[in-house]
Amino acid sequence: MWTTSSVSLAFRAACVQLRIVRPHVCSNSYGVPDVPPIWLVNVTDEAMTDILYTKEMQKIFGVANFWRDPNYSNYLKHNEYLPLLNNELSDNITAAFRDNFLRVGHVSLYGSPQDMFITPWYSSMFEFYDEKENRNNMTNQPYYVSDSFGLKTLDERGGLTRVEVPHVHHAEWLHTESLFTEYMLPLLT
């Protein structure tokens, strides 16, 4: 049974783990956040793509590695990290990536329309834009259709949970104990 003090301790431990552990397969982001830092106020998504897809930025700026242009061929050509990690490059597809992902057993994904940082917010649940920047469901994504890293297999065997949680800003996942208690703690029991 979880006591108040054990929940609080588990919450703090999970916050530390979330800051340290990196996922093996990652979703993506595109677009300047709803509340951008002052230096991003007048930067368009297109200009940001040009900046983040330079060789220099791909090598030194982690956010650049998670930037996904809705133009899929542009993304595959210029993003040096995410297509590799998601096993989307035809000359680099490895069974080990897929096998390792499927060993996880179950993946729970959470996202909020009020995230204000991840853009589009539903990319946290493996959805993204199409080339016209309309919402494109996870099952229509190229990596799902081709099952490049096993997401489709995991989903079809019931090993994928996707939950939309309204009114949660990005950083609240790390700092709000009630979110931890409601959404994360049940995964630990």
Side-chain angles (χ1 to χ4, degrees):
M1 174 133 201
W2 291 92
T3 65
T4 302
S5 61
S6 63
V7 167
S8 183
L9 181 61
F11 173 69
R12 285 193 292 276
C15 288
V16 169
Q17 287 299 317
L18 287 171
R19 290 183 184 125
I20 295 170
V21 176
R22 300 289 183 253
H24 295 288
V25 176
C26 301
S27 191
N28 37 252
S29 189
Y30 174 78
V32 178
D34 291 341
V35 184
I38 192 70
W39 57 275
L40 285 180
V41 171
N42 293 315
V43 178
T44 65
D45 294 341
E46 293 80 12
M48 186 60 79
T49 297
D50 291 343
I51 294 165
L52 294 177
Y53 278 176
T54 62
K55 292 269 185 205
E56 296 78 18
M57 291 301 276
Q58 286 289 305
K59 287 181 183 169
I60 64 168
F61 191 51
V63 172
N65 299 140
F66 290 92
W67 189 266
R68 180 174 165 196
D69 186 339
N71 178 325
Y72 190 67
S73 59
N74 193 41
Y75 152 75
L76 291 177
K77 181 178 179 181
H78 296 290
N79 189 305
E80 296 179 7
Y81 178 72
L82 199 55
L84 179 68
L85 197 60
N86 286 345
N87 221 11
E88 294 177 280
L89 301 175
S90 59
D91 60 341
N92 192 55
I93 292 179
T94 65
F97 279 7
R98 192 172 185 287
D99 293 345
N100 287 340
F101 180 74
L102 290 171
R103 287 177 43 205
V104 170
H106 193 94
V107 173
S108 296
L109 305 170
Y110 300 90
S112 177
Q114 291 76 34
D115 185 281
M116 296 179 70
F117 186 78
I118 295 176
T119 305
W121 71 268
Y122 42 81
S123 66
S124 62
M125 296 191 292
F126 287 109
E127 293 188 14
F128 197 61
Y129 295 132
D130 62 16
E131 289 199 15
K132 293 180 182 177
E133 295 192 23
N134 296 309
R135 186 173 181 170
N136 194 5
N137 192 289
M138 175 186 75
T139 58
N140 297 326
Q141 299 301 320
Y143 48 75
Y144 186 94
V145 172
S146 69
D147 206 20
S148 64
F149 62 86
L151 185 63
K152 181 178 180 179
T153 298
L154 186 74
D155 185 29
E156 288 176 347
R157 74 178 189 205
L160 184 64
T161 301
R162 299 179 333 133
V163 181
E164 179 180 324
V165 184
H167 312 297
V168 178
H169 293 228
H170 188 72
E172 288 181 71
W173 290 107
L174 290 176
H175 303 291
T176 307
E177 192 169 328
S178 61
L179 286 172
F180 174 79
T181 302
E182 184 173 350
Y183 297 102
M184 307 302 146
L185 191 58
L187 301 174
L188 302 174
T189 56

